[in-house]
């Protein structure tokens, strides 16, 4: 008994030290961000904020902003990592957007999380904050008729400060590069299929979060070693406090209690999905660019796998088990999201 308590205390101290380090690191790395247009003075108490890092995503931005505005995001805070496709200029024209620019290394900033942690610390305190990529689209129970503020109000009343969402890879039927994506279009008119099963779940004992892998990327690009496949577990929606910190992308946070977004004692807590629109006709060129840059996790292992797969098998991810997306109720029926006790 004494040994168990000692180990638990040691883990708590280790996590606290790591959180303090990440907060301090984000504060130091703020100098890498140069404000382009800062409209954060317009942020009001109770506003829902979105935090995004991007590089060369202009084609996605019109639909992305429209989607999240309709969902109920009040202000967007973007880090532009040296885009040269007009992304920065486009964002600077948007009245509900603030933009910071940096040419600093994405890899050396912990894949952008130092920058995001700083902006969350500076502007997100006591706001519900949604941290997503430009190809991620948040879906939750009742999202077709209840705005995001209804969800966050319910979370507040339930005493919850974080909300999970599984990353659900979406893809077209047939060769990706033969179905062009037009700038500003809804990506899910093209990439409207997904894997309904083929997922594994484990628990990270130290951080307390679930670890989910599988789906089309694992079966297409990581067949020989599925454990090398990308993590699909995310906690994108958090009622932020300035001393919080994301540890690894949005897969997990500190303090550890924010990762406890599942029910171990029976029943289910409410959860959502992030529809992942990576696999559009833009994918091959984007993968080649990111492989050349070498700025991604584990020496760009994921992009090396994409390159090898694209070279050998083409870009058709559809299979006989694929399902066509129809809405959040379908995802609930499949067990991919849950209403929990949010009636």
């Amino acid at each position: 008994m004494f040994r168990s308590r000692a180990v638990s205390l040691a883990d708590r101290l280790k996590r606290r030290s790591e959180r303090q380090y990440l907060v301090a690191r984000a504060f130091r790395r703020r100098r890498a961000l140069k404000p382009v247009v800062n409209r954060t003075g317009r942020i009001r108490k109770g506003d829902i904020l979105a935090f995004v890092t991007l590089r060369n995503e202009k084609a996605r931005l019109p639909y992305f902003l429209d989607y999240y505005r309709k969902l109920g995001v009040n202000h967007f805070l973007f880090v532009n990592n040296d885009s040269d496709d007009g992304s920065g200029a486009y964002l600077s024209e948007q009245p509900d957007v603030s933009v910071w620019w940096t040419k600093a290394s994405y890899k050396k900033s912990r894949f952008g999380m130092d920058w995001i942690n700083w902006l969350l610390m500076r502007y997100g305190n006591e706001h519900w904050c949604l941290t997503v990529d430009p190809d991620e689209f948040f879906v939750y129970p009742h999202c077709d008729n209840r705005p995001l503020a209804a969800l966050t109000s319910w979370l507040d009343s339930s005493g919850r400060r974080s909300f999970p969402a599984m990353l659900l890879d979406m893809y077209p039927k047939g060769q990706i590069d033969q179905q062009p994506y037009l700038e500003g279009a809804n990506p899910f008119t093209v990439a409207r299929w997904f894997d309904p099963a083929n997922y594994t779940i484990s628990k990270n004992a130290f951080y307390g979060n679930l670890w989910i892998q599988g789906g089309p990327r694992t079966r297409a690009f990581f067949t020989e070693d599925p454990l090398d496949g990308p993590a699909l577990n995310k906690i994108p929606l958090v009622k932020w406090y300035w001393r919080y910190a994301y540890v690894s992308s949005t897969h997990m946070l500190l303090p550890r209690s924010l990762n406890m977004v599942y029910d171990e004692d029976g029943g289910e807590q409410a959860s959502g999905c992030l529809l992942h629109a990576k696999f559009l006709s833009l994918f091959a060129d984007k993968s080649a660019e990111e492989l050349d840059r070498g700025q991604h996790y584990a020496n760009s292992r994921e992009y090396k796998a994409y390159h090898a797969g694209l070279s050998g098998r083409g870009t058709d991810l559809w299979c006989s088990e694929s399902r066509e997306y129809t809405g959040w109720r379908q995802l609930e029926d499949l067990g991919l999201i849950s209403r929990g006790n949010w009636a």
Side-chain angles (χ1 to χ4, degrees), residues 34 48 55 65 76 86 102 135 142 179 181 214 226 251-252 257 297 340:
K34 308 300 181 185
I48 298 172
R55 175 181 166 81
L65 291 170
F76 300 83
T102 183
D135 59 5
H142 308 293
Q179 302 179 60
Y181 173 73
H251 301 311
M252 53 209 180
S257 59
Y297 179 73

Side-chain angles (χ1 to χ4, degrees), residues 101-119:
W101 175 87
T102 183
K103 197 173 183 177
S105 168
Y106 182 72
K107 178 187 273 188
K108 291 181 180 179
S109 70
R110 293 194 317 111
F111 312 103
M113 295 317 297
D114 288 337
W115 307 328
I116 291 297
N117 275 339
W118 160 246
L119 293 180

Side-chain angles (χ1 to χ4, degrees), residues 168-174 190-199 215-217 219-220 315-326 330-331 334 336:
L168 189 66
D169 287 319
M170 308 293 292
Y171 48 86
K173 184 176 184 179
V190 177
R192 61 183 187 271
W193 300 81
F194 66 95
D195 282 17
N198 185 36
Y199 301 104
R217 281 187 286 174
R219 65 176 169 81
T315 56
D316 188 352
L317 297 176
W318 193 89
C319 71
S320 60
E321 300 301 318
S322 299
R323 295 283 183 91
E324 189 171 9
Y325 178 70
T326 60
Q330 175 194 36
L331 302 182
L334 292 168
L336 298 176

Side-chain angles (χ1 to χ4, degrees), residues 3 106 108 153 238 250 270 298 318:
R3 179 178 175 81
Y106 182 72
K108 291 181 180 179
S153 177
V238 180
T250 54
W318 193 89

